[in-house]
Amino acid sequence: MGGLDAGPVVPEDQDFALWEKRVDALMVLTSAKGLFTVDGLRRCVEDMAPEDYENLGYYDRWVSSVNQNLIEAGSYSLEELARKMEQVARRGETYGDCTGS
Amino acid sequence: MKAVQASVRVKEWYPPGHVRAPFYLRGKCGKIERSLGQFGNPEQQAYGLKGDLKELLRVRFTMAEVWGTECESPDDTIEAEIYEHWLEPTNAP
Amino acid sequence: MPHDHEHNHIHDHSHGDQLSPSGHPYRKDQDAKLTYWQTMEIAMRELLIEKGVVTPQEITRTIEQMDRRSPADGAKVVARAWVDPGYRARLMADGTAAIAEMGFDPGALRLIAVENTDQIHNVVVCTLCSCYPRNLLGLPPDWYKQRAYRSRVVKTPRAVLREFGTELADNVQIRVHDSTADMRYLVVPARPKGTEKLDETDLAALITRDSMIGVTRLAPQK
């Protein structure tokens, strides 16, 4: 990315949403427990298709990458993930409805 | 080659996969600013493998070297951390 | 990798007036339509808890720790370096040890401090991802993580700094630090003129996050 053309920097600040902080915390905790390294996190972000990389939010990319690394580490299976995601989506319409506690 | 102030070139390798030597510095020459000690090789750690220890070096490049005539100010610098296996002496073929 | 799903954030605030089961209004992020990636976060978190990999308490603690960290921590380090030459020397020699000495937990952070002077201006970036001294300064600002800053500051730092309102004389050398591997960088801004009589606490209050990334310089005080 270094040296490529891009538009002006927009020096704005933002608050983080709760789900973003949770993604961050899960990354910090699972990597501290030795399930993957920051290099593994970076690899899966870099391996995204360019259009995904551009279109996804920062923590969208992170959750995608943390999940990929946890699958590779054997922390849970794809089947378990699919089942759980289906269950979560059925709980309601919004993050607040679906996040449980 | 690992002495401070030694001139080094970043290897112009382009293997696919996770590499921490940024594209824009490949093939560019700089001077070693300091050694940072040994770190696990990210090219292995990225794939869930145990990383062999590699020396990490901070290398200082001039803007003139990196960007040529497109640079804003030739004596401004860029410093980056580069693993030893990505560096070669500047007199290498 | 599956890309056949909804990627967009859809902001639907129609639930904004409702109250959560505890009787409080939902946080703003909680009342928008659930996204695919939020679904994944919830699923991942619940699976990790069910399997005993992490506990809810650990997650809460980690978030609290994250919320406690802020640029004010870095400002204390810089202010100490301004008033205590011995500390300044230790900070420049070994940033990691120097912040630990002040009671900040570096964790996995390996810190290098670089100092701005009349002749040298340092600025920090991570062109490969978004490496940032988060254990000292908290989470990075959005612009630090975005393409515009990361791609341009290594090539045209003077133009980028101008967008932050920072105009540097031609005789000031810019040093851009690309956090490509294991080190993180703290810029020690130059102590502004007019602060000679201020104590360490008042000095710390002047020091901004952006000045410690190196995109701004601190204004002289009257």
Side-chain angles (χ1 to χ4, degrees), chain C residues 73-200:
Chain C
D73 296 352
K76 285 182 189 151
V77 169
V78 171
R80 175 70 54 86
W82 283 350
V83 300
D84 179 347
Y87 184 74
R88 179 190 158 276
R90 293 197 293 284
L91 178 66
M92 301 313 292
D94 183 347
T96 316
I99 65 165
E101 177 190 327
M102 282 193 65
F104 299 114
D105 173 20
L109 173 73
R110 298 281 308 264
L111 190 75
I112 291 182
V114 290
E115 195 174 32
N116 284 350
T117 65
D118 290 344
Q119 289 90 41
I120 292 173
H121 184 89
N122 296 279
V123 58
V124 180
V125 65
C126 173
T127 59
L128 296 176
C129 40
S130 55
C131 299
Y132 187 76
R134 47 175 26 224
N135 287 20
L136 186 65
L137 299 183
L139 299 180
D142 247 8
W143 55 260
Y144 185 86
K145 303 186 285 191
Q146 284 166 356
R147 168 180 287 278
Y149 181 74
R150 290 162 52 206
S151 56
R152 291 176 53 230
V153 79
V154 287
K155 188 169 181 182
T156 54
R158 287 169 191 267
V160 171
L161 291 182
R162 230 171 274 131
E163 286 163 28
F164 284 90
T166 306
E167 195 74 50
L168 292 178
D170 290 343
N171 63 352
V172 176
Q173 185 196 36
I174 297 188
R175 290 185 180 166
V176 181
H177 301 271
D178 190 354
S179 323
T180 47
D182 296 276
M183 299 292 142
R184 303 292 173 266
Y185 296 87
L186 173 73
V187 174
V188 177
R191 181 169 174 171
K193 294 204 167 55
T195 60
E196 295 74 12
K197 292 191 176 131
L198 297 184
D199 68 13
E200 196 176 323

Side-chain angles (χ1 to χ4, degrees), chain A residues 58-86:
Chain A
Y58 183 77
Y59 280 103
D60 295 343
R61 298 196 289 254
W62 269 37
V63 74
S64 163
S65 176
V66 172
N67 174 65
Q68 183 65 35
N69 276 276
L70 291 172
I71 293 283
E72 290 173 14
S75 299
Y76 49 79
S77 70
L78 286 176
E79 182 187 348
E80 289 170 310
L81 177 71
R83 240 182 249 289
K84 183 63 90 176
M85 285 182 71
E86 185 181 42

